[in-house]
Amino acid sequence: MMKTLVVVDAQNDFIDGSLACENSENAIANIVKKINAGDFDKVVYSMDAHSPTNKSFKVNGGIWPVHCVEGEKGAELSSKFDAIENPEFKTTELTVYKKGKDDEVEEYSAYYAKNEAGESISDLKSDEFIVCGLASEYCVRETILEFKNKGKNVKMFLDGVGYVDREDHLKNIEELKNMGIEMI
């Protein structure tokens, strides 16, 4: 059975930057450990990739601080992923899928994020998708819901998520469980 891990937005701005999430350092360490345990057949990474004029930013009329501006340190994936042992699971132009490139569209879900070859996460074939990353109650949640709505077998790797607000995170976990999403 083919298992694919989808690591959502494990970027510096969500770890210790402008939108730092609680439990993010711990979540990243757990994700790397799980990848190195060899539990997956494929690992892909989504990344927010905004321009400075993105409409989700407060300065441009949105609700979020400026974050994950392409080319800046905050947009880079955590360097903790350098500790991944299997070269197949490291980040490459084919395993990194970017989202949020359209300034006009708020794109929480990574489902339609695209890699350098123009392929989307939605194109991936797998028996099971396990989603983790940052932040539980926003991008991770929306990615899981998109997989579920498309009829895919999707689960959440609970030890591999950080969150903006602990209470919202716990509420999100309960809601996802009530929708039949399994936590691993």
Side-chain angles (χ1 to χ4, degrees):
M1 184 163 94
M2 171 96 164
K3 283 184 176 181
T4 300
L5 182 69
V6 180
V7 181
V8 176
D9 303 355
Q11 294 161 272
N12 293 329
D13 272 343
F14 297 123
I15 298 166
D16 58 12
S18 61
L19 265 172
C21 293
E22 291 182 52
N23 197 49
S24 57
E25 293 280 355
N26 192 32
I28 303 299
N30 289 335
I31 293 167
V32 170
K33 196 183 308 173
K34 192 92 168 140
I35 292 169
N36 283 337
D39 293 351
F40 309 104
D41 301 294
K42 187 175 186 75
V43 179
V44 297
Y45 305 84
S46 79
M47 290 174 63
D48 259 2
H50 299 314
S51 81
T53 53
N54 190 282
K55 297 283 193 287
S56 76
F57 299 160
K58 275 183 191 153
V59 296
N60 300 325
I63 62 168
W64 300 109
V66 173
H67 65 279
C68 299
V69 173
E70 278 203 286
E72 294 185 7
K73 185 174 179 4
E76 293 172 9
L77 220 54
S78 168
S79 61
K80 294 231 166 76
F81 290 104
D82 294 345
I84 292 171
E85 294 155 7
N86 184 336
E88 280 183 51
F89 298 153
K90 289 186 178 279
T91 59
T92 69
E93 58 189 27
L94 294 179
T95 61
V96 171
Y97 294 75
K98 295 186 177 180
K99 64 186 183 70
K101 292 176 82 76
D102 183 340
D103 284 351
E104 304 297 321
V105 180
E106 182 68 79
E107 197 173 11
Y108 290 124
S109 170
Y111 192 74
Y112 294 109
K114 292 193 180 319
N115 66 14
E116 288 294 321
E119 299 160 335
S120 167
I121 287 178
S122 66
D123 298 327
L124 296 174
K125 304 286 183 244
S126 189
D127 298 306
E128 186 175 287
F129 293 92
I130 296 97
V131 180
C132 60
L134 311 171
S136 159
E137 68 276 44
Y138 292 97
C139 296
V140 171
R141 173 189 173 87
E142 294 305 318
T143 302
I144 287 171
L145 292 178
E146 195 77 54
F147 272 106
K148 182 180 182 346
N149 291 340
K150 300 295 188 228
K152 308 282 187 187
N153 178 10
V154 62
K155 298 176 180 175
M156 179 192 262
F157 173 39
L158 194 52
D159 289 341
V161 297
Y163 41 86
V164 175
D165 178 88
R166 183 166 172 71
E167 281 185 31
D168 289 346
H169 164 64
L170 295 173
K171 190 175 119 193
N172 176 47
I173 297 309
E174 282 314 303
E175 286 176 5
L176 290 174
K177 283 181 180 173
N178 289 337
M179 288 182 226
I181 303 297
E182 188 182 327
M183 304 291 147
I184 63 163

